[in-house]
Amino acid sequence: MTEPALATLTRLRTACSQCNLRELCLPVGLSADELETLDNLVSTRRKIRRGDSLFYGGEPFSALYAVRYGFFKSTLTSGDGREQVTGFYMAGELLGMDGIGGDRHTCTLTALEDSEVCVMPFARVEDLSREFEPLQRHFHKVLSREIVRDQGVMLLLGSMRAEERLAAFLVNLSQRLTARGFSASEFVLRMTRDEIGSYLGMKLETVSRLFSRFQEDHLIEVHQKHVRILDIGGLKRVMAQAQGAA
Amino acid sequence: MTEPALATLTRLRTACSQCNLRELCLPVGLSADELETLDNLVSTRRKIRRGDSLFYGGEPFSALYAVRYGFFKSTLTSGDGREQVTGFYMAGELLGMDGIGGDRHTCTLTALEDSEVCVMPFARVEDLSREFEPLQRHFHKVLSREIVRDQGVMLLLGSMRAEERLAAFLVNLSQRLTARGFSASEFVLRMTRDEIGSYLGMKLETVSRLFSRFQEDHLIEVHQKHVRILDIGGLKRVMAQAQGAA
DNA sequence: CCCCGCGCTTGACGGGGATCAAGCGGAAAA
DNA sequence: TTTTCCGCTTGATCCCCGTCAAGCGCGGGG
């Protein structure tokens, strides 16, 4: 079966099977053959400039998004205007799953640097999931992992002290960057102290003070947004210092 | 097509279409016809005595569970032995979704009173989801709502003060009990102060003190595990008293 | 029936982190 | 290049809630 040349180009340009993120993104674990089935999962790509939002809380839900490059934060706004950062997302991670349950997005996704996402219309995700068992299985895993991730943050917020939380945050960031081929020990924070603080349930001054203390303790070197991890083992020790362990 | 009488009995006994929770549970929103398709979703039922666990963190994952009656808590244990209550579950709510992503459960589910669950082998859930679009759609919604719920708890833990958190907890409990036909204003807590405190990121003494203060303020009457809500509007006001609202 | 123990309440005190405040410095714009 | 502003750092102080401690009361078992 043939298709117009332009359509072929478009399909190939957005094809999962050609994407260098296929080891991280939705198709992870699928064979090359299976991968081709996904090649019409992505309808288009969309660029979002730093500071702009991919979607806002309250907007109708229609698609999931995979980060191709860039960096996002998700924020939740409570009835009384409080804002909480609920997550940070980088290449290969999936956005928008909060919207499935109520047909509207509950959180706002904002780019912290110029970014690009693959747009996957949700109806298409569900259609393909029904036809193609490996995709269904994998999609369920991705949803479940988001639940587990959120529960991990609950553990962090509910039972750890500020310095433990920040250490855990740095270790997690380092691990995710490593998985993407970046340096595990040196990186540039894309978010402000205020955003880190919101995510970790503390004030920006506390974040700043703790960065300084970690530096004094030779765990990290920090200069504004540049962070170098000097002693990852030390950070892990800080993060596990359950003093009031139940 | 006929089936042995015993099989018919078993099927009917565990049939979603006959269950008085069908308005709350997985089948919500399905028509009577559609419901019958689900009647072989549930393989068996399982009773769990107060204090016993349905599954433990680390155990292999094989099935999802729907609470038929009773009350559960889910707990997460971190590497260093800290324990955090990540949720409370009552009739009609789904358990075990944390296990899908890694083929093992990450949290432990413990009955806080004698309880019964419907066992839904996950392979069967996925098979039926592929054949039956309304189930697929609904199952995705349930997963997504769990994500949204968890993010709500993150907001609570990350940006609210202790009294706001406890008020939010009481309002939420009241609403869920109302949806199940129980009194909105009078109920018996199934969990201890310690468990409430763990869930809300505070110590049991703080929970106790706040209960006492709410009582002084004529918001509730509390006597051990018996709680009567006197002023739900007042509780909602406490919960929204964003003083440090960003 | 009484006793025992667990879970709850309440008080006193201290500390971790919030709040208020001032000044710095780097990045982006002119 | 200079200017400007936002984000970061650091200090001083305060207070919410954790910690430690003591005692109560209900429910279960002997």
Side-chain angles (χ1 to χ4, degrees), chain B residues 106-201:
Chain B
T106 56
C107 60
T108 297
L109 260 120
T110 308
L112 297 182
E113 62 180 352
D114 291 354
S115 305
E116 191 181 48
V117 297
C118 296
V119 180
M120 299 178 286
F122 187 60
R124 212 178 281 186
V125 174
E126 288 199 319
D127 288 348
L128 273 174
S129 281
R130 262 178 284 114
E131 291 166 20
F132 187 49
E133 190 174 341
L135 175 64
Q136 179 199 37
R137 164 141 289 252
H138 193 66
F139 177 54
H140 289 164
K141 280 177 187 279
V142 171
L143 281 164
S144 171
R145 286 196 198 115
E146 183 75 11
I147 293 172
V148 171
R149 187 190 73 81
D150 288 350
Q151 290 181 349
V153 177
M154 288 171 58
L155 179 77
L156 191 122
L157 290 173
S159 72
M160 291 169 73
R161 290 145 33 80
E163 61 173 2
E164 301 171 313
R165 277 177 259 166
L166 189 62
F169 171 75
L170 288 172
V171 169
N172 174 276
L173 214 54
S174 164
Q175 287 170 345
R176 283 156 72 198
L177 288 168
T178 307
R180 281 155 188 79
F182 296 104
S183 164
S185 63
E186 193 166 3
F187 47 85
V188 174
L189 297 172
R190 299 303 175 183
M191 68 297 274
T192 66
R193 301 287 189 266
D194 196 31
E195 288 160 343
I196 298 175
S198 173
Y199 181 59
L200 297 177

